Amino acid sequence: MSEPAHTAASERVAAALRERILSGEISPGSRILQEEVADRLGASRLPVREALLMLTAEGLVTLEPNKGARVPILDRQDVEVLYQMRERLEPLALIESLPRLDDGDLAEIAGIQRRIEQHDDVREFLALDRDFHMATYGGCGIDHLSDTVTRLWNATQHYRRAFMLISGPGRRWIVNAEHGLLVDALQRRDAVDAERYLVGHIRRTRLALVAHPEVFAGKA
Amino acid sequence: MSEPAHTAASERVAAALRERILSGEISPGSRILQEEVADRLGASRLPVREALLMLTAEGLVTLEPNKGARVPILDRQDVEVLYQMRERLEPLALIESLPRLDDGDLAEIAGIQRRIEQHDDVREFLALDRDFHMATYGGCGIDHLSDTVTRLWNATQHYRRAFMLISGPGRRWIVNAEHGLLVDALQRRDAVDAERYLVGHIRRTRLALVAHPEVFAGKA
DNA sequence: TGTCTTGTGAATGGATCCATAACGTGGAAA
DNA sequence: TTTCCACGTTATGGATCCATTCACAAGACA
């Protein structure tokens, strides 16, 4: 509006919607009205339509012809398979990334992990956890791979948060142990160990998540 | 215009562009002019813009702000990693799909394979090979997984064709042997064997493809 | 002669207006 | 009272028009 308006309007709308969806302000099942979004952001409906298409590609909304956009509702099997996709793809991203991470990058990753250990708040934890893992994939220069990993994180974000809110911080130490071992393996430039701890981390999270049926609204 | 115009225009434009890109008529690096496409298909520029966004999500075009759309050029590492993604994801799709394939589906898959063995033409082979593998994933009800697999096939389509044109039909029997073993494992409902043959098939294809640097235009 | 600058053209990005399809509501008839 | 049909409202889909930005080329100055 006033100052940094030279950024493309579609991108701004997409970023705003992405933030609102990932933060949980717009929950799964909610309908997204083009005009309402346009009014709120002071843009026309056209950038909103383009933004919705972008977000569809990111797995954050589904678009039904003539019926509008919604945040998709996933059942337990959906989330379980998405986690299995993560278990298979993120190690590849890590393997591609590790050789290109310099010592500064690794120090930054370790710093994020230290901050995670200090934060109990679910909202902060979720953001930092995402930053942590994405930083470990930061050296992966393959757009297709990075984009796919981002999609998987986006699609499962709401259910990850729901699980964190239910399970509480009691067993949070496990995450810190796993992250710690992963960071150590990275600093030793040991891709085999890093992959081992990463797969274990994701797999344990998946099993813990699907063990809580109350996370999934519709069906068991 | 005249008859089946009730199908959404964006979808029609996307389908037409998808066909032209996958067939090789629009090759990597080519710029795609919105107005030219719009004129050719008798539509406005707006559906073209939406179609380009959809195709971006499918990995068929890249969109640079204020600079238009292009079919992306991949280097050898890109294609290699895309194949590694396939090696990791497609077995998961197969595992999810197999329990939901009935005997009719399996018979149809076997039929496609028989037709592959009868066709030497590269164009026919590419289409049938795609049909074959996609049919084996047909029972996988997870949209995210199916879409991702489709993206990987789309993104590598051009380089697969280039490789087929270079290598000729000489070693085509290997594909038939691999497909045959895969079909047999599927008919035995043996997911372990099926995964084994599928991974081997993709991995061998990857190694054969990256051994032909002339497939990749820019750099080695 | 080489390089920087400026101008012109073309293509993309955005906004407003119109058509169409879906949903809900109200009324009428059985 | 219930059900079905028709109408009106609302939201999305599409087309045309205008603004902005990028690219290329021609010219001027060092």
Side-chain angles (χ1 to χ4, degrees):
Chain A
M1 317 231 221
S2 54
E3 204 262 304
H6 74 285
T7 55
S10 311
E11 303 280 349
R12 278 186 35 243
V13 176
L17 276 176
R18 190 183 298 119
E19 164 61 26
R20 290 177 61 196
I21 295 172
L22 289 177
S23 74
E25 182 187 337
I26 307 178
S27 55
S30 303
R31 187 167 180 191
I32 300 178
L33 288 311
Q34 295 180 4
E35 197 159 347
E36 190 238 350
V37 175
D39 290 349
R40 178 191 293 245
L41 297 178
S44 165
R45 259 182 50 219
L46 198 143
V48 177
R49 282 161 68 176
E50 297 193 339
L52 288 175
L53 280 169
M54 298 185 207
L55 295 177
T56 299
E58 297 177 27
L60 288 175
V61 304
T62 58
L63 220 46
E64 268 182 301
N66 290 324
K67 294 190 60 176
R70 287 182 179 280
V71 180
I73 297 179
L74 304 182
D75 62 21
R76 198 178 71 165
Q77 195 201 7
D78 289 327
V79 175
E80 188 158 15
V81 172
L82 286 170
Y83 265 81
Q84 287 174 321
M85 292 174 70
R86 287 189 52 198
E87 283 171 49
R88 289 163 178 260
L89 278 188
E90 294 189 23
L92 181 58
L94 193 63
I95 289 170
E96 289 294 319
S97 171
L98 182 52
R100 301 183 194 177
L101 294 177
D102 60 28
D103 293 343
D105 297 325
L106 293 180
E108 190 175 346
I109 290 169
I112 299 177
Q113 172 50 22
R114 277 193 297 275
R115 288 168 60 199
I116 291 180
E117 293 175 1
Q118 296 164 359
H119 283 273
D120 266 358
D121 177 57
V122 166
R123 188 182 180 83
E124 278 296 326
F125 176 86
L126 281 172
L128 286 170
D129 185 54
R130 184 189 178 104
D131 292 345
F132 172 81
H133 286 282
M134 290 304 172
T136 65
Y137 309 138
C140 159
I142 313 294
D143 289 342
H144 256 286
L145 183 49
S146 313
D147 292 348
T148 304
V149 169
T150 300
R151 249 193 304 277
L152 296 175
W153 275 78
N154 285 347
T156 54
Q157 166 92 357
H158 175 265
Y159 302 91
R160 220 162 42 245
R161 182 178 44 247
F163 169 70
M164 302 284 324
L165 288 171
I166 285 176
S167 63
R171 294 172 67 74
R172 195 76 57 81
W173 67 269
I174 300 182
V175 173
N176 290 328
E178 291 163 339
H179 282 188
L181 292 173
L182 176 56
V183 169
D184 180 67
L186 293 176
Q187 287 174 332
R188 286 184 286 112
R189 305 277 175 187
D190 185 338
V192 174
D193 263 10
E195 173 165 1
R196 184 197 325 285
Y197 293 128
L198 178 59
V199 172
H201 175 49
I202 302 174
R203 178 183 139 88
R204 184 197 54 78
T205 309
R206 162 168 64 88
L207 294 175
L209 181 49
V210 299
H212 281 268
E214 64 268 36
V215 170
F216 309 98
K219 34 222 159 178
Chain B
M1 314 231 226
S2 54
E3 207 262 304
H6 73 284
T7 54
S10 311
E11 303 279 349
R12 276 187 37 242
V13 174
L17 277 176
R18 190 182 299 119
E19 165 60 26
R20 289 177 63 197
I21 295 172
L22 288 177
S23 73
E25 182 186 338
I26 307 179
S27 55
S30 302
R31 187 166 180 192
I32 299 178
L33 288 311
Q34 295 180 3
E35 198 158 349
E36 190 238 352
V37 176
D39 290 349
R40 177 190 294 242
L41 297 178
S44 165
R45 259 182 51 219
L46 199 144
V48 177
R49 283 162 68 176
E50 297 193 340
L52 288 174
L53 281 169
M54 298 186 206
L55 295 177
T56 300
E58 297 177 26
L60 288 175
V61 303
T62 58
L63 220 47
E64 269 183 298
N66 290 324
K67 293 190 62 177
R70 287 181 179 280
V71 180
I73 298 180
L74 304 182
D75 62 21
R76 199 178 70 165
Q77 195 202 7
D78 289 328
V79 175
E80 188 158 15
V81 172
L82 286 170
Y83 266 81
Q84 287 174 321
M85 292 173 69
R86 287 188 53 199
E87 283 170 50
R88 288 164 179 262
L89 278 188
E90 293 190 23
L92 180 59
L94 193 62
I95 289 170
E96 289 294 319
S97 170
L98 181 52
R100 301 183 193 176
L101 294 177
D102 59 30
D103 293 342
D105 298 324
L106 293 180
E108 190 176 346
I109 290 168
I112 298 178
Q113 172 52 21
R114 277 194 298 276
R115 288 168 60 200
I116 290 179
E117 293 175 0
Q118 296 164 359
H119 282 274
D120 266 359
D121 177 56
V122 166
R123 189 183 179 83
E124 278 297 325
F125 175 84
L126 281 172
L128 286 171
D129 185 54
R130 184 190 178 104
D131 292 344
F132 173 80
H133 285 282
M134 289 306 172
T136 65
Y137 310 139
C140 158
I142 314 293
D143 290 342
H144 255 286
L145 183 49
S146 313
D147 292 350
T148 304
V149 169
T150 300
R151 248 194 305 278
L152 297 174
W153 276 78
N154 284 347
T156 54
Q157 165 92 357
H158 175 266
Y159 302 91
R160 219 163 42 246
R161 181 177 45 246
F163 170 69
M164 303 283 326
L165 288 172
I166 286 177
S167 63
R171 294 174 67 75
R172 194 74 58 81
W173 66 269
I174 300 181
V175 174
N176 290 327
E178 290 163 340
H179 282 187
L181 292 174
L182 176 57
V183 169
D184 180 67
L186 293 176
Q187 286 174 332
R188 287 184 286 112
R189 304 277 175 188
D190 185 338
V192 174
D193 263 10
E195 172 164 1
R196 185 198 323 286
Y197 294 127
L198 177 59
V199 172
H201 175 49
I202 301 174
R203 178 184 138 87
R204 184 196 56 76
T205 311
R206 162 169 64 87
L207 294 175
L209 181 50
V210 300
H212 281 269
E214 63 267 37
V215 170
F216 309 99
K219 35 220 157 177

